[in-house]
Amino acid sequence: MTEDLLPALTARAAEAAHIRDPACLCTTATLALREDTTVVRHAATVAKAHAPDTDTAALAVRTAVAARLPGILLPPLA
């Protein structure tokens, strides 16, 4: 993980949260900070960054499953 990833990811989560809810309560938390994954939350929006060597095909499958199971997993915003 690069040193500037966490602030950049936090800013992206805040931007997405504010687009969805301009009256955002602006609560931010780091949920995971590992070598392979970084996850942050801003209000009700979660942003996740994967390591550069992540298997993109497997990630695409996991993302598709999350999109189909919104009551169980967090679906992607876009």
Side-chain angles (χ1 to χ4, degrees), residues 20-72:
R20 295 176 70 207
D21 181 7
C24 176
L25 297 176
C26 290
T27 56
T28 301
T30 300
L31 304 179
L33 187 57
R34 304 187 318 237
E35 287 184 27
D36 63 334
T37 303
T38 299
V39 182
V40 297
R41 179 185 52 79
H42 185 93
T45 301
V46 176
K48 184 175 184 181
H50 298 272
D53 61 347
T54 299
D55 180 339
T56 56
L59 179 58
V61 170
R62 293 194 310 267
T63 302
V65 169
R68 290 186 187 108
L69 299 171
I72 298 170

